[in-house]
Amino acid sequence: MSDHTVGPEIERLIQLLAKLPGLGPRSARRAALHLVKRKDQLLGPLAEAMAIARDNVMECERCGNIDTVSPCTVCTDPRREDSVLVVVEDVADLWALERAKASRGRYHVLGGVLSPLDGVGPDDLSIESLVERATAADVREVILAINATVEGQSTAYYLTDRLVNCGVSVTRLAHGVPVGGELDYLDEGTLAAAMKARTEV
Amino acid sequence: MSDHTVGPEIERLIQLLAKLPGLGPRSARRAALHLVKRKDQLLGPLAEAMAIARDNVMECERCGNIDTVSPCTVCTDPRREDSVLVVVEDVADLWALERAKASRGRYHVLGGVLSPLDGVGPDDLSIESLVERATAADVREVILAINATVEGQSTAYYLTDRLVNCGVSVTRLAHGVPVGGELDYLDEGTLAAAMKARTEV
């Protein structure tokens, strides 16, 4: 888009929208057009919502969650269990677990997984602060809710190793058949794991 | 997303992002997270670009293009031919033709196609203003660059009918094999049209 039909204002909007995950240059153009056609209903409100988020949203100094306060609402919620620490790769995983109401414990966002090929070592993740939090007297269990990818699993092994002297039990999420999932579409590793971990009905 | 993990600021951002074409609830969440993690590089600039677009972008009173001035840059460009009027359904089509440098004429944005099932009649499109512009002394050709859909084609027939007494020649885009396209993937209608309109090499 370097033609003179689209003014620099729209051009800039398109370029920035194209940086969003899930939007390429073409869909960014469509989105920009959609926005400028709906100035009052969408473009204006979105500009404001973004300005508000920019001015108010921050990372929780304790767990790495994203919120308007730090420590975040989850960290300060008195109804949550201090004894359980759920370790996730990313804030998106934290949100997913919260939507599923999967845990009433606290969280710890690693900020990624170990990946020697991409130059991500232990110092690039918030592992020291995790060990520190896990050492606290009231923490009894650390749940590694890390993605079941190769890198995620090797990160989980590394963390288990680091947490072995913290006086906590280290657990991980169960492998198995997704609820509502069809066996025919599942990979063999998942099926084998689900079979191995079968439970009595 | 009605949990208390995500504050109302982020919740609102997600809801608005989900209204963009190409983003669903899940990808809107991903986009929101992507944005709040990149406050200075992306969220801030995008908020500003949107505010600027909201305050400056308008619809061209003459052709329906979107620009920061009205009449728009294309309508006032002295290097363009006043004798040719390219009729498009939507601003996106205008942009596409401009990117392709397909025409040096002026444009006319219909704002949609006739669709009795959806309740879109001639009065809902800018057809009167098209007839008026086509009647002007200097316009010699009206190119119907309307999508080759069923509704687009019936709109084209309707327009041809309306323009018959305007003293202009009415043309439409050629059908044929897309440049770089493989015959094997093309539908039969396109192939038949391309064969019929074959040209000597």
Side-chain angles (χ1 to χ4, degrees):
Chain A
M1 293 295 281
S2 54
D3 54 287
H4 55 273
T5 321
V6 181
E9 296 83 0
I10 300 179
E11 174 74 43
R12 173 131 179 92
L13 184 58
I14 294 172
Q15 277 174 358
L16 289 168
L17 283 171
K19 291 184 183 167
L20 288 180
L23 289 184
R26 182 177 289 264
S27 45
R29 232 158 31 217
R30 272 180 58 217
L33 196 53
H34 188 89
L35 282 168
V36 295
K37 277 184 186 170
R38 287 160 191 81
K39 266 181 162 182
D40 298 333
Q41 313 96 295
L42 193 52
L43 180 56
L46 194 50
E48 274 159 45
M50 285 187 176
I52 290 171
R54 176 195 58 199
D55 298 338
N56 292 291
V57 171
M58 61 191 84
E59 200 173 87
C60 171
E61 65 202 51
R62 198 177 295 170
C63 76
N65 187 15
I66 278 169
D67 204 342
T68 45
V69 282
S70 174
C72 73
T73 336
V74 182
C75 281
T76 52
D77 188 343
R79 293 162 302 173
R80 291 202 164 242
E81 295 165 22
D82 282 318
S83 57
V84 177
L85 209 52
V86 182
V87 180
V88 291
E89 277 180 41
D90 194 89
V91 178
D93 303 324
L94 188 163
W95 290 1
L97 290 169
E98 280 300 294
R99 282 197 303 278
K101 297 187 176 53
S103 168
R104 295 298 300 161
R106 310 285 181 189
Y107 287 96
H108 189 88
V109 180
L110 280 182
V113 279
L114 295 174
S115 174
L117 285 176
D118 298 326
V120 181
D123 294 342
D124 301 309
L125 308 176
S126 30
I127 292 179
E128 289 312 318
S129 54
L130 169 64
V131 173
E132 205 174 295
R133 292 180 73 191
T135 316
D138 42 4
V139 177
R140 284 200 306 271
E141 181 180 2
V142 173
I143 304 176
L144 301 178
I146 299 178
N147 290 339
T149 56
V150 174
E151 286 167 343
Q153 292 310 296
S154 53
T155 307
Y157 281 120
Y158 177 83
L159 292 178
T160 312
D161 214 45
R162 289 294 306 271
L163 294 166
V164 76
N165 293 321
C166 294
V168 289
S169 70
V170 180
T171 57
R172 64 163 178 75
L173 297 186
H175 286 309
V177 179
V179 176
E182 293 182 50
L183 296 192
D184 196 20
Y185 288 92
L186 280 175
D187 64 296
E188 288 134 33
T190 305
L191 279 178
M195 186 57 82
K196 206 169 154 189
R198 67 190 179 278
T199 53
E200 206 156 332
V201 286
Chain B
M1 291 295 283
S2 57
D3 53 286
H4 54 273
T5 322
V6 182
E9 295 84 0
I10 301 178
E11 174 75 42
R12 173 130 179 92
L13 184 59
I14 293 171
Q15 277 173 358
L16 288 168
L17 283 170
K19 290 183 184 167
L20 289 179
L23 289 184
R26 183 178 288 264
S27 46
R29 228 153 38 212
R30 271 179 59 217
L33 195 53
H34 188 88
L35 282 167
V36 294
K37 279 185 186 172
R38 288 160 191 78
K39 267 182 163 179
D40 299 332
Q41 311 98 292
L42 193 53
L43 180 56
L46 194 50
E48 274 159 46
M50 285 186 174
I52 290 171
R54 176 196 57 200
D55 298 338
N56 293 291
V57 171
M58 61 191 83
E59 201 171 86
C60 171
E61 65 202 53
R62 196 175 298 169
C63 76
N65 187 15
I66 279 170
D67 204 340
T68 44
V69 284
S70 174
C72 73
T73 336
V74 182
C75 280
T76 53
D77 188 344
R79 294 163 302 174
R80 292 201 164 241
E81 296 165 22
D82 281 319
S83 58
V84 177
L85 207 52
V86 183
V87 180
V88 292
E89 278 180 42
D90 194 89
V91 178
D93 302 325
L94 189 163
W95 290 0
L97 289 169
E98 280 299 294
R99 282 197 303 278
K101 296 186 175 55
S103 168
R104 295 297 301 159
R106 310 284 181 190
Y107 288 95
H108 189 88
V109 180
L110 280 182
V113 279
L114 295 175
S115 174
L117 285 177
D118 298 326
V120 182
D123 294 342
D124 302 310
L125 308 177
S126 28
I127 292 178
E128 289 314 317
S129 54
L130 169 65
V131 173
E132 203 174 298
R133 292 180 73 190
T135 316
D138 42 3
V139 177
R140 284 200 305 271
E141 180 181 3
V142 173
I143 305 174
L144 301 179
I146 298 178
N147 290 338
T149 56
V150 173
E151 287 168 343
Q153 292 311 295
S154 53
T155 306
Y157 282 118
Y158 178 84
L159 292 178
T160 312
D161 214 46
R162 289 295 305 272
L163 294 167
V164 78
N165 292 322
C166 294
V168 290
S169 71
V170 180
T171 57
R172 64 161 178 77
L173 296 186
H175 287 309
V177 180
V179 176
E182 293 182 50
L183 297 192
D184 195 21
Y185 289 92
L186 281 175
D187 65 295
E188 288 133 34
T190 305
L191 279 178
M195 185 59 81
K196 205 168 155 192
R198 67 191 176 279
T199 53
E200 206 155 333
V201 286

